[in-house]
Amino acid sequence: MNEKDRATPPDHSLDLALNRRGFLRAGAAAGALAAGAGAAKAAGTPDPLITDVQPWAQGWGDGVDATPYGLPIRFEDDVVRRNVGWLTADVISSINFTPIHALDGTITPAGCAFERHHSGAIELAKEDYRLMIHGLVDKPLVFTYEDLERFPRVNRTYFLECAANTGMEWAGAQLNGAQFTHGMIHNMEYSGVTLRTLLEEAGVKPEGKWVYVEGADASSNGRSMPLEKAMDDVLVAFKANGEALRKEHGYPVRLCVPGWEGNMWVKWLRRVEVMEGPVESREETSKYTDTLADGTARKWTWVMDAKSVVTSPSPQSPIKHGPGPLVITGLAWSGRGAIAAVDVSIDGGKTWREARLANPGQDKALTRFYLDVEWDGSEMLLQSRAVDDTGYVQPTKNSLREIRGENSVYHNNCIQTWWVKSNGEAENVEVS
């Protein structure tokens, strides 16, 4: 799909300008409606939250050492990762989901970032850590954690998306919430050493064309990767968002493979073997291949194509304030580059408006988008459509099905639809 296939968003010159004065006028009208319904105090009635001294202003708060490692306040205790029990047989080899509906910006807090384990999250101390570079190299090497810290360091922000993200939606609308349909993703700033640096230290022989990367957990999760990618932007990371990796994210060292499916991002990285060809491991033959309508499977489908989702309003983030100014927001990303634009539709794709990007799109990182509208209380069929800087346009579900059928699990980057009802509640529906 090319840029020429993308519908041109309509002109916005007649849209409501939500400047301060316009917002106050709209807010006053909404307040009048609410007051008529008995939902707000009449004008001029004192608000005790303003006029009275509240309990939190009558005594001491916590001291600076109350929580040596800072924790979220108790009022936000619903912003947590969640599992779907029936998706997997056991939580040891399972997934939980980032609460993307409750977050803003683009950086995912480590405590909210989704997990995927094949044999559970292991505890591996820094002093016990070893990374072996071997195979078709001039000089096989073994690195300790302290060795890695001595190499030139880089900081990069990337998204990690499980290939199965949105996988349940192939056959129709299934899971009712952005957290569950699109929450197998996170976006963090990683610090570490480029894999290229370590491979060059060992010296790759001319016949070396692939690398096999493997983790230290009991599953021995391993994937083959072309040498070109390994020498490009792959990172051996030991920090995320400025702190040590969390146990569930591969402490003390993991691999980052920007733009490629999450299963490639091997945690507890223990070895990198340079080889002539791919290993054809379990995770790249019977798993992480894309089943077509005729039963055959595509493999080596590493790249995560351009994708987006509206995170609010959505089933877990309904509209609670009634008609008036409404902020529609969501996330967009592409494994092929940076997000160039995001369009939003409120009528199931009949018409589109170009959203505002919070910041220019970053290469292989999440981009936050906003569309500020005046909601009149009508039902909406809410969609978003991402365009990356290669010109690729996020497809509809039907266009994907025409090529791949309904038997697949992985790499579903279809346009998502939320049916927003007049009461502000939302539901996952299919408008293909």
Side-chain angles (χ1 to χ4, degrees):
M1 190 176 291
N2 299 315
E3 175 67 25
K4 66 182 180 180
D5 300 314
R6 177 178 172 228
T8 303
D11 179 35
H12 289 270
S13 59
L14 298 180
D15 286 357
L16 173 67
L18 286 178
N19 55 28
R20 184 173 184 271
R21 183 177 297 173
F23 183 87
L24 290 174
R25 282 200 304 267
L33 289 173
K41 292 184 179 299
T45 302
D47 184 344
L49 287 172
I50 297 174
T51 59
D52 297 354
V53 178
Q54 299 300 316
W56 51 83
Q58 298 179 24
W60 305 122
D62 290 338
V64 294
D65 57 354
T67 52
Y69 190 93
L71 300 172
I73 196 166
R74 61 185 176 88
F75 307 120
E76 299 294 322
D77 61 4
D78 61 324
V79 183
V80 294
R81 294 178 289 215
R82 289 179 172 86
N83 184 30
V84 176
W86 52 265
L87 278 181
T88 56
D90 194 285
V91 294
I92 298 301
S93 180
S94 192
I95 311 105
N96 62 21
F97 301 81
T98 301
I100 58 173
H101 64 287
L103 304 178
D104 213 318
T106 58
I107 296 297
T108 311
C112 286
F114 100 101
E115 306 172 53
R116 167 67 169 116
H117 307 311
H118 293 265
S119 56
I122 62 171
E123 289 193 352
L124 176 58
K126 290 178 182 177
E127 55 268 28
D128 296 328
Y129 179 76
R130 300 292 184 272
L131 171 58
M132 178 169 61
I133 311 287
H134 67 124
L136 296 174
V137 296
D138 298 327
K139 181 176 55 176
L141 297 171
V142 174
F143 301 100
T144 66
Y145 184 91
E146 289 182 344
D147 291 334
L148 296 179
E149 289 186 305
R150 298 175 65 187
F151 283 96
R153 199 170 306 172
V154 298
N155 294 274
R156 301 284 188 270
T157 299
Y158 296 124
F159 76 83
L160 183 163
E161 183 182 16
C162 180
N165 201 22
T166 322
M168 290 296 296
E169 302 298 303
W170 272 110
Q174 301 290 327
L175 300 172
N176 207 34
Q179 180 172 19
F180 304 116
T181 59
H182 290 73
M184 285 190 246
I185 193 168
H186 56 68
N187 191 67
M188 298 200 223
E189 182 193 56
Y190 295 97
S191 303
V193 181
T194 64
L195 181 54
R196 181 188 187 102
T197 298
L198 302 182
L199 289 171
E200 288 179 342
E201 188 77 7
V204 177
K205 293 183 177 181
E207 58 268 35
K209 303 299 180 184
W210 288 70
V211 298
Y212 184 72
V213 293
E214 185 180 72
D217 60 318
S219 72
S220 297
N221 180 44
R223 290 296 302 267
S224 304
M225 183 191 314
L227 183 65
E228 291 85 355
K229 179 65 172 178
M231 299 293 275
D232 182 16
D233 55 4
V234 176
L235 188 64
V236 177
F238 39 81
K239 303 283 186 182
N241 294 347
E243 63 177 356
L245 293 168
R246 297 292 177 92
K247 177 176 75 171
E248 62 268 29
H249 298 138
Y251 178 94
V253 176
R254 78 167 309 155
L255 202 66
C256 298
V257 188
W260 286 22
E261 60 190 26
N263 184 254
M264 308 285 290
W265 295 50
V266 171
K267 295 185 285 192
W268 313 290
L269 180 67
R270 67 177 291 267
R271 73 181 182 100
V272 178
E273 182 177 359
V274 181
M275 311 180 75
E276 291 185 357
V279 167
E280 308 274 3
S281 71
R282 171 185 178 271
E283 304 300 333
E284 52 204 21
T285 52
S286 67
K287 305 296 181 183
Y288 298 97
T289 56
D290 300 324
T291 306
L292 301 179
D294 63 2
T296 61
R298 301 187 309 159
K299 66 178 182 178
W300 312 137
T301 54
W302 303 297
V303 178
M304 305 305 294
D305 285 314
K307 189 172 179 180
S308 68
V309 63
V310 172
T311 55
S312 180
S314 65
Q316 295 167 283
S317 182
I319 303 170
K320 296 181 179 179
H321 53 62
L326 171 67
V327 177
I328 299 172
T329 185
L331 295 167
W333 59 95
S334 174
R336 298 189 187 276
I339 291 297
V342 179
D343 301 327
V344 172
S345 176
I346 65 173
D347 55 15
K350 294 178 182 178
T351 61
W352 296 90
R353 303 183 191 184
E354 186 167 358
R356 170 174 56 88
L357 303 186
N359 288 294
Q362 286 184 267
D363 184 45
K364 303 176 182 69
L366 293 187
T367 297
R368 171 68 60 176
F369 63 87
Y370 298 101
L371 183 66
D372 303 311
V373 301
E374 182 80 6
W375 184 50
D376 63 5
S378 299
E379 292 185 353
M380 296 185 287
L381 290 173
L382 200 53
Q383 299 179 336
S384 63
R385 178 178 67 183
V387 184
D388 68 22
D389 58 5
T390 72
Y392 179 95
V393 182
Q394 182 181 358
T396 64
K397 193 180 294 187
N398 274 350
S399 63
L400 284 178
R401 285 172 175 160
E402 288 175 4
I403 300 170
R404 305 202 8 223
E406 297 182 8
N407 296 326
S408 198
V409 173
Y410 306 109
H411 293 271
N412 184 359
N413 66 317
C414 69
I415 291 173
Q416 173 69 43
T417 306
W418 305 127
W419 171 32
V420 181
K421 305 173 187 179
S422 59
N423 63 3
E425 295 178 355
E427 183 179 328
N428 181 7
V429 297
E430 180 169 331
V431 176
S432 302

